[in-house]
Amino acid sequence: MAERSSRSDTRTTIVEAAARLLHEQGPSAVTTRAVAEAAGVQAPALYRLFGDKDGLLQAVAEHVLAEFVSTKAESVRAEAAGGTDPVDDLRAGWRIQVEFGLTHPAVFALLNDPARTDPSPAAQSGWQVLTARVHRIAVAGRLRVTEQRAVQLVHAAGTGVIQTLLAAPVAHRDAGLHEEMLEAVLGRILTDAPATGDDRPRAATVAFRALAPDLPGLSAAERQLLLEWLDRTIDE
């Protein structure tokens, strides 16, 4: 048990040292020698724990994003408990996400590497946070599209706008681009408040769809059939 704890402590020390180097000097600074010196360990320890430099960088990206996501997850619980406006909360979460991407460009690039086929646990947690925010909007009767489509649109737009901003020199970045992108997405997925005209039936259906999985008195088969009917209505 003591050996396992020591191994975990060493791993944490190395990851935190590498994260500092990555943040302060970029990926090129995260060499085996530099990380070992910063962490106060011998270089072979890095290979035993992470395999190679890529393994270490992925662990660092996970570490930085996990801390960020844990903060977001706590804020979602506070939002739900406090009865705040779910659309305002989505806006706030978007701004935090953009700030994270621009503040940690190396980590953002690692986590959004197209060659990476399996999403990281931290990235999956972030997706769950976004899903929870969108679900609250659906329950409030404000969505005109399915929850899944809304989550996909917000996520794709957020990733794209961060990549666009990072590709431009800092002095030439359009400071208002991410806000305009968000409003464009919200205009596509939201109804007016409250829903009127043609939006009213769709918003009501989406809201009912958000609550349907928790309805009492239905068998699993009945609940599944109800969800299929609602999904078909929303998609038409």
Side-chain angles (χ1 to χ4, degrees), residues 15 22 155 178 181 232:
V15 168
L22 182 66
H155 181 267
H178 71 91
M181 176 65 79
R232 188 184 308 165

Side-chain angles (χ1 to χ4, degrees), residues 163-193:
Q163 290 174 333
T164 300
L165 291 171
L166 288 176
V170 175
H172 295 90
R173 288 176 184 170
D174 183 345
L177 179 63
H178 71 91
E179 293 288 353
E180 290 193 29
M181 176 65 79
L182 175 60
E183 293 309 313
V185 173
L186 293 182
R188 173 67 183 89
I189 68 175
L190 296 182
T191 66
D192 294 332

Side-chain angles (χ1 to χ4, degrees), residues 109-196:
L110 286 169
L111 292 169
N112 290 276
D113 183 353
R116 184 172 189 168
T117 56
D118 296 325
S120 69
Q124 289 177 321
S125 296
W127 184 273
Q128 291 168 0
V129 169
L130 173 58
T131 299
R133 283 198 168 107
V134 170
H135 181 70
R136 290 184 59 226
I137 295 174
V139 170
R142 295 293 310 278
L143 278 188
R144 72 166 81 228
V145 299
T146 64
E147 291 182 61
Q148 181 181 16
R149 175 58 59 84
V151 170
Q152 290 173 335
L153 285 171
V154 173
H155 181 267
T159 300
V161 79
I162 293 171
Q163 290 174 333
T164 300
L165 291 171
L166 288 176
V170 175
H172 295 90
R173 288 176 184 170
D174 183 345
L177 179 63
H178 71 91
E179 293 288 353
E180 290 193 29
M181 176 65 79
L182 175 60
E183 293 309 313
V185 173
L186 293 182
R188 173 67 183 89
I189 68 175
L190 296 182
T191 66
D192 294 332
T196 58

